[in-house]
């Protein structure tokens, strides 16, 4: 009977314990806790208030900051520092590098790219605000393949902070801001040094330039500079030589190409031609010879930089396709398909179209009743249209073999008051020379440039602003 009563007693104790748990009663009779301890919000939370053991992190007390929050387990040794690093909230653009807390992407405009496509492909931003801002200072139609760009992104949000696009070697488009971006066009800064380059010609000008470790742009610059004095197609011969005083530009320690040609001497068939850069008053800097005569003439000697004459001006030439003789009132220049063709003088495009046996043709009207004609072109320069003004040396098309043609070449003709004239005998006056009032200053400039060119003055003494300030665009070897 005693055993039965004892069993009933223990059952009642168990039932009372279960009932106490359901009702949230903190202590039962016989508890080891003091009877006057205030009941906590729950048994499990009260257990967390026990003193921390060695190696454990002590939790905040109830009612202090962080109370009631779930605590993550401690990281294993070696991982704590990694957890402290700021991780980007969005994936970074492909190829991005973190510079001063910003994600920076460098790229080059490829065929089919647009500003919108580049921005939306590298950021979480919409492109419209940036494109709208850019249009205020730069034409989107001038956005060209092959040009470098830079995108700066906030790595936490993926939002675009800045977009840069190099318009050309001198200017850069910059658009920056998050909500209301602002655009500007700014000059690209370079570290400019001066170099003296010289060589003799054994075969051709391009090879002579390459043999001394310089780039083809220098040969083109010499061709443009002396193109009204020397016919580089027919007049060059072994033993000719040149000396050039040219700027070389660097950015972030990297060579970025030639700057302006300050002075040059070119000896052809025993005659030395000279060129010196000078600004006459507020005019654009130009090259003059030592007498102050402008090197730029009304017409270039030829519409191509370097090629060969395959047929000359004649009143009786056997046509290579038709097989009978007829007048050929122009000059044919043989050159590979795609060779750039340049306008021989300033003027207005009066024809850009197919012209039967002439194939694709461009006609430019110059002053004093003079016209120049360029035929058998493979194509036209981008954007060229009728009525457009063009400048001497501007590319207007490319050599081809369209129309009645036996192979790639340029048929070049001049017409004076409607009558064809021999380009080799056409009157070709010079541009305006140095004004008398500026001759004294001109001679001092020539003296400085000649001393540098001939090695009488150290090139290390040169400063880009010291002789001809470069705030205007001067002919260069870019």
């Amino acid at each position: 009977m005693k055993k039965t009563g004892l069993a009933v007693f223990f059952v009642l104790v168990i039932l009372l314990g279960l009932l106490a748990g359901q009702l949230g009663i903190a202590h039962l009779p016989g508890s080891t806790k003091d009877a006057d301890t205030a009941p906590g919000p729950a048994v499990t939370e009260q257990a967390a208030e026990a003193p921390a053991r060695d190696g454990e992190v002590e939790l905040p007390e109830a009612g202090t900051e962080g109370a009631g929050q779930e605590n993550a387990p401690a990281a294993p040794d070696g991982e704590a520092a990694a957890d402290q690093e700021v991780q980007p909230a969005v994936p970074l653009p492909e190829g991005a590098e973190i510079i001063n807390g910003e994600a920076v992407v460098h790229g080059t405009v490829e065929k089919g790219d647009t500003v919108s496509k580049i921005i939306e492909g590298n950021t979480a931003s919409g492109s419209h605000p940036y494109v709208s801002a850019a249009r205020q200072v730069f034409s989107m139609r001038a956005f060209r393949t092959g040009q470098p760009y830079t995108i700066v992104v906030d790595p936490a949000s993926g939002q675009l902070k800045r977009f840069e696009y190099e318009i050309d070697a001198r200017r850069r488009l910059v658009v920056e801001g998050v909500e209301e971006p602002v655009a500007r066009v700014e000059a690209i800064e370079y570290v400019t040094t001066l170099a003296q380059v010289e060589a003799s010609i054994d075969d051709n000008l391009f090879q002579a330039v390459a043999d001394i470790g310089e780039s083809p742009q220098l040969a083109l610059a010499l061709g443009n500079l002396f193109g009204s004095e020397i016919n580089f197609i027919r007049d060059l011969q072994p033993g000719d030589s040149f000396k050039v005083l040219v700027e070389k530009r660097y950015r972030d320690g990297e060579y970025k190409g030639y700057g302006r040609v300050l002075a040059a001497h070119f000896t052809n068939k025993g005659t030395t031609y000279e060129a010196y850069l000078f600004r006459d008053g507020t005019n654009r800097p130009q090259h003059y010879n030592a007498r102050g005569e402008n090197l730029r003439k009304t017409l270039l000697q030829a519409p191509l930089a370097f090629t060969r004459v395959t047929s000359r001006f004649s009143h009786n030439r056997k046509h290579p396709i038709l097989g009978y003789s007829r007048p050929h009132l122009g000059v044919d220049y043989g050159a590979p398909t795609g060779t750039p063709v340049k306008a021989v003088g300033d003027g207005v495009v009066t024809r850009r179209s197919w012209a039967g046996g002439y194939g694709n043709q461009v006609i430019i009207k110059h002053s004093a009743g003079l016209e120049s004609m360029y035929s058998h072109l493979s194509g036209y320069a981008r954007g060229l249209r009728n009525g457009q003004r063009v400048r001497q040396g501007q590319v207007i098309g490319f050599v081809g073999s369209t129309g009645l043609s036996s192979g790639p070449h340029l048929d070049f003709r001049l017409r004076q008051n409607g009558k064809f004239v021999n380009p080799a005998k056409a009157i070709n006056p010079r541009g305006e020379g140095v004004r008398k009032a500026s001759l004294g200053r001109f001679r001092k400039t020539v003296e400085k440039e000649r001393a540098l060119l001939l090695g009488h003055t150290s090139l290390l003494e040169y400063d880009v602003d010291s002789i001809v300030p470069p705030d205007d665009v001067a002919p260069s070897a870019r």
Side-chain angles (χ1 to χ4, degrees):
M1 185 69 181
K2 290 181 180 181
K3 290 182 180 180
T4 302
L6 186 61
V8 171
F9 174 78
F10 282 116
V11 169
L12 289 174
V13 170
I14 292 172
L15 290 175
L16 287 172
L18 292 174
L19 181 60
Q22 292 292 327
L23 296 176
I25 300 173
H27 303 289
L28 294 176
S31 170
T32 58
K33 290 278 185 179
D34 293 336
D36 59 350
T37 302
V43 174
T44 54
E45 290 184 2
Q46 288 293 326
E49 292 180 7
R53 299 187 182 92
D54 292 342
E56 294 182 349
V57 177
E58 187 172 357
L59 299 177
E61 294 182 0
T64 63
E65 183 179 354
Q69 295 181 0
E70 183 178 355
N71 292 276
D77 291 344
E79 293 185 11
D83 288 343
Q84 302 298 321
E85 295 179 0
V86 177
Q87 300 296 326
V90 295
L92 293 179
E94 184 178 353
E97 53 181 333
I98 302 298
I99 302 176
N100 296 327
E102 297 176 322
V104 180
V105 178
H106 298 287
T108 301
V109 179
E110 299 180 355
K111 187 175 181 179
D113 279 349
T114 63
V115 175
S116 297
K117 181 178 178 181
I118 291 172
I119 290 176
E120 293 172 2
N122 288 280
T123 75
S125 302
S127 62
H128 179 70
Y130 265 68
V131 173
S132 297
R135 283 192 176 126
Q136 303 301 312
V137 298
F138 178 71
S139 172
M140 293 293 101
R141 289 183 296 179
F143 195 66
R144 297 184 293 118
T145 59
Q147 292 300 108
Y149 66 83
T150 300
I151 287 179
V152 179
V153 178
D154 178 5
S157 65
Q159 294 297 306
L160 179 62
K161 297 180 69 176
R162 186 166 69 255
F163 173 76
E164 298 178 3
Y165 165 74
E166 292 192 14
I167 300 170
D168 51 34
R170 299 177 297 108
R171 300 171 300 153
R172 167 174 46 217
L173 169 69
V174 178
V175 190
E176 57 185 345
V178 178
E179 296 182 358
E180 296 182 359
V182 177
R184 66 182 182 275
V185 174
E186 63 182 24
I188 297 176
E189 295 185 359
Y190 293 93
V191 173
T192 303
T193 63
L194 197 61
Q196 192 260 32
V197 179
E198 59 180 305
S200 295
I201 298 172
D202 294 325
D203 185 10
N204 60 69
L205 183 56
F206 278 101
Q207 189 61 51
V209 167
D211 287 344
I212 57 175
E214 300 293 335
S215 67
Q217 283 73 23
L218 186 60
L220 293 172
L222 287 168
N224 289 333
L225 188 57
F226 293 107
S228 294
E229 304 284 324
I230 302 169
N231 190 316
F232 284 88
I233 296 172
R234 68 167 188 260
D235 291 344
L236 287 190
Q237 60 183 26
D240 287 352
S241 62
F242 63 85
K243 289 183 179 180
V244 186
L245 191 64
V246 62
E247 294 174 336
K248 291 189 174 183
R249 300 176 304 170
Y250 298 83
R251 198 166 86 210
D252 299 328
E254 182 180 353
Y255 175 66
K256 289 295 184 179
Y258 300 108
R260 303 172 301 167
V261 172
L262 266 67
H265 289 177
F266 201 108
T267 301
N268 171 238
K269 297 181 179 179
T271 301
T272 297
Y273 300 88
E274 301 180 26
Y276 301 98
L277 185 65
F278 178 70
R279 184 199 303 281
D280 191 355
T282 59
N283 295 332
R284 180 174 176 267
Q286 297 186 70
H287 287 93
Y288 303 87
N289 62 24
R291 297 182 298 275
E293 297 172 336
N294 201 318
L295 288 189
R296 185 174 179 269
K297 294 185 178 180
T298 301
L299 301 175
L300 295 176
Q301 288 280 356
L304 296 95
F306 305 95
T307 182
R308 69 189 190 281
V309 174
T310 56
S311 183
R312 301 184 185 279
F313 186 93
S314 172
H315 288 279
N316 187 24
R317 184 196 72 158
K318 185 176 181 180
H319 196 279
I321 294 179
L322 299 178
Y324 58 84
S325 296
R326 67 176 189 176
H328 181 257
L329 304 180
V331 177
D332 286 352
Y333 296 99
T337 297
T339 301
V341 176
K342 300 180 293 185
V344 294
D346 297 347
V348 177
V349 176
T350 59
R351 179 165 194 164
R352 175 204 172 277
S353 64
W354 181 265
Y358 289 112
N360 293 323
Q361 185 183 67
V362 171
I363 298 179
I364 299 174
K365 182 178 181 180
H366 309 281
S367 59
L370 187 67
E371 292 177 294
S372 57
M373 304 172 62
Y374 314 79
S375 304
H376 305 305
L377 302 173
S378 61
Y380 309 101
R382 183 177 181 181
L384 190 74
R385 63 186 185 280
N386 288 333
Q388 178 182 337
R389 293 199 64 84
V390 293
R391 300 190 64 179
Q392 185 183 76
Q394 180 177 334
V395 175
I396 57 170
F398 305 92
V399 170
S401 187
T402 56
L404 202 57
S405 168
S406 60
H409 74 286
L410 173 71
D411 183 318
F412 172 67
R413 305 189 181 206
L414 287 179
R415 198 159 51 188
Q416 181 80 51
N417 296 322
K419 181 181 178 180
F420 286 106
V421 296
N422 187 345
K425 298 179 179 180
I427 297 174
N428 196 9
R430 291 183 182 275
E432 185 178 354
V434 176
R435 296 175 302 165
K436 288 184 178 180
S438 303
L439 281 174
R441 195 164 52 87
F442 169 72
R443 292 189 183 102
K444 290 180 180 180
T445 299
V446 170
E447 184 179 344
K448 293 178 181 178
E449 293 177 346
R450 183 183 281 141
L452 288 165
L453 178 65
L454 300 179
H456 299 158
T457 302
S458 172
L459 300 178
L460 298 177
E461 297 181 12
Y462 175 72
D463 179 82
V464 72
D465 294 314
S466 61
I467 301 178
V468 182
D471 50 342
D472 281 341
V473 180
S476 70
R478 294 188 189 103

